[in-house]
Amino acid sequence: MSKTYIIAVIPGDGTGPEVVAEGMKVLAAASRKFGFTLEYTNFDFGGERYLRTGETLPGSAIGELGKFDSIFLGAIGHPDVKPGILETGILLKIRFALDQYINLRPVRLYPNVETPLRDKGPEHIDFVVIRENTGGIYTGHGGATRVGTPDEIATQLMIYDRRTVDRCLKYAFELKKKRNAKNPKYAEKPITLIHKRNVLTHCGDLWYRAFEEMGAKQYPELKRDYNHVDAANMWFVKNPEWFDVTVTENLFGDIITDLGAMIQGGLGVASGGNINPEGVSMFEPMGGSAPKYTGKKVINPMAAIGAAMMMLDTLGEAGAAQAIETAMMAVMRKMKSQAAGNMGYSTTEVGDMVADLV
Ligand code: IPM
Ligand code: MN
């Protein structure tokens, strides 16, 4: 009997539904070719639902989502909803409640995709950022007093405990081992911890010691390196070829992965996975809901297709994931650009072409 995976789909807002549809088209092609079945359940979480009902996620949502094999998300964000409500009420809520403690963001420049980095090509830009996804400043510890007065005080604390750090590092070291085995080019490069331990002497020190201890004891064969986050930003631009697996805390990871997305060709091609290695993961294109492109069929679905590919890989369908990536690369070679509105094809045409080649 063929394997069946049950997938929760959250198309979300703006261009989310458009790109999710193309991702599903490609998933359908892969499931036919590789002999597995995907069953979908749609959830209407997002800005429209919030404006209609006043609710971000219903009370039952997390329990229900937790029953699926995986979650495929389009985009969350609505121009008529105040910033912060949907982000914390939906996206961050799911990441935290389902303990998706890894945010895996590959930064890979595919052939024929334009990067703003002069003199850099696909051979230079091929690394991953592992962003810790449940701790740090995102935990929301802190508060504000005397709000609105000249004496106002606000705090938002960077919280980390050893267990949260260790489980993230473990994932990073294991991924580094896998990548080294796959490609000798990766094996020449270190695993890099990114933090700011020259200033964050408590949190940075915790991460650094945990990294050094785990590396020395459990992975002595792997080269280790450390970069301060400001310097890492600089090297991502100047010498991206130095990097393979990088690992960092939540907010730093948020910031450097937008830079990563740009050097790999923009948000049209950047995908990410919110991964709970022991539970239910959620895959998404990194871009937002792009209101100005909504309904025009000009948004690039590649990032959503890439997210679908990552989802299959995580579900254990490595062959299908590889086939999707190969098809994506072939289609990227034909496209004029990866920028919305300038692809030389419509959103659905890009999805059709990838699906045809899987
Ligand atoms: C991201 C986004 C989110 C984050 C926002 C929308 C809450 O920027 O996925 O990188 O900060 O994690
Ligand atoms: Mn971000």
Side-chain angles (χ1 to χ4, degrees), residues 37-189:
T37 306
L38 295 163
E39 279 172 14
Y40 299 103
T41 303
N42 241 62
F43 292 88
D44 66 349
F45 309 143
E48 293 295 338
R49 182 179 195 283
Y50 172 74
L51 290 170
R52 210 170 58 238
T53 64
E55 196 174 56
T56 46
L57 284 182
S60 57
I62 297 300
E64 275 183 57
L65 290 174
K67 292 181 195 145
F68 287 84
D69 291 317
S70 203
I71 305 168
F72 187 35
L73 174 85
I76 298 288
H78 196 291
D80 301 337
V81 181
K82 214 175 90 188
I85 295 177
L86 301 172
E87 292 87 336
T88 50
I90 301 178
L91 192 59
L92 298 180
K93 178 77 196 272
I94 296 173
R95 288 180 184 169
F96 275 76
L98 295 180
D99 207 14
Q100 293 163 342
Y101 61 88
I102 298 296
N103 197 328
L104 181 63
R105 296 188 161 176
V107 180
R108 176 164 181 195
L109 179 67
Y110 288 111
N112 194 42
V113 174
E114 212 181 336
T115 174
L117 301 187
R118 184 163 45 91
D119 303 332
K120 299 292 177 189
E123 69 278 23
H124 302 107
I125 304 173
D126 183 6
F127 62 96
V128 302
V129 178
I130 294 168
R131 163 186 175 189
E132 199 291 321
N133 211 29
T134 55
I137 287 176
Y138 280 72
T139 51
H141 286 266
T145 50
R146 304 177 201 150
V147 176
T149 76
D151 301 319
E152 178 166 352
I153 296 174
T155 60
Q156 206 128 19
L157 300 179
M158 180 180 278
I159 308 260
Y160 270 106
D161 61 90
R162 180 71 189 243
R163 195 182 65 91
T164 300
V165 172
D166 274 343
R167 67 182 186 174
C168 178
L169 292 174
K170 181 95 203 157
Y171 184 91
F173 278 114
E174 286 297 322
L175 183 63
K176 180 63 177 139
K177 234 167 78 173
K178 267 191 227 142
R179 282 172 65 93
N180 284 4
K182 208 164 102 183
N183 188 337
K185 222 186 76 187
Y186 298 146
E188 289 164 16
K189 302 178 192 184

Side-chain angles (χ1 to χ4, degrees), residues 322-337:
Q322 188 55 61
I324 292 177
E325 187 170 46
T326 305
M328 285 168 63
M329 285 165 67
V331 173
M332 285 173 176
R333 282 186 187 280
K334 294 194 210 165
M335 292 166 70
K336 210 166 93 197
S337 146

